[in-house]
Amino acid sequence: MSKKKKIEPLTGEALLAKVKELENVSKEEKAKECGYYTITKNGVERVNMMKFYNALLEAKEIELDGKQGSNGRGGRSASYRITVQANGNLLIGAAYTKQMDLKPGDEFEISLGRKHIRLKQLESDEFEE
C-alpha cells in the first residue's frame, strides 16, 4: 500500500475560492477536495465535515460562539427589561449589579412614580445616620 502525502486543508480566501469553483459537486466531495479528510489505518477515506464547516465559517468571519464575560463564563447579556414574577417580585439580575459594581449590602431608596420605579443608591454615610 502506498502512503499518500498528507495535503494541508485549505483555509481563508483559498478555501472560499475552491468551494466556489466546486459549486456543482456534493458537499462531501467539496470537503475532500479542500483537504478535509483523513485516511484510516484500513485505507478508508473519512471526510471531516465538521472541520470543513468550521473552516468555512471562519473564512467568512462568522462567529457563532457567544462572547464570554470577563470571568470566562457565558450567560445572558443585560436586556434592560425585566418582568414581574408570579409572586409579584421584580428581580434585577447579576448582569446589572456587576455593570454598576454593586456589592452585597448596598442600599437603595425606592421612589414610585405613576408608571415608573426609581432606585437611588444611598451613599454609605447616608444610611449610617
Side-chain angles (χ1 to χ4, degrees), residues 40-103:
T40 65
K41 292 178 185 176
N42 300 333
V44 178
E45 288 182 352
R46 299 189 96 177
V47 180
N48 191 331
M49 296 304 293
M50 187 59 79
K51 282 187 179 178
F52 176 63
Y53 289 145
N54 285 336
L56 280 174
L57 288 170
E58 190 174 312
K60 290 196 173 256
E61 297 179 357
I62 297 172
E63 182 65 45
L64 292 181
D65 293 331
K67 299 282 185 226
Q68 292 188 342
S70 59
N71 64 358
R73 295 172 51 194
R76 294 185 190 172
S77 59
S79 66
Y80 299 99
R81 295 182 73 114
I82 58 174
T83 303
V84 177
Q85 297 176 334
N87 62 4
N89 290 344
L90 287 174
L91 176 67
I92 299 175
Y96 308 104
T97 57
K98 283 179 187 174
Q99 195 170 23
M100 293 181 65
D101 196 31
L102 299 175
K103 305 287 183 254

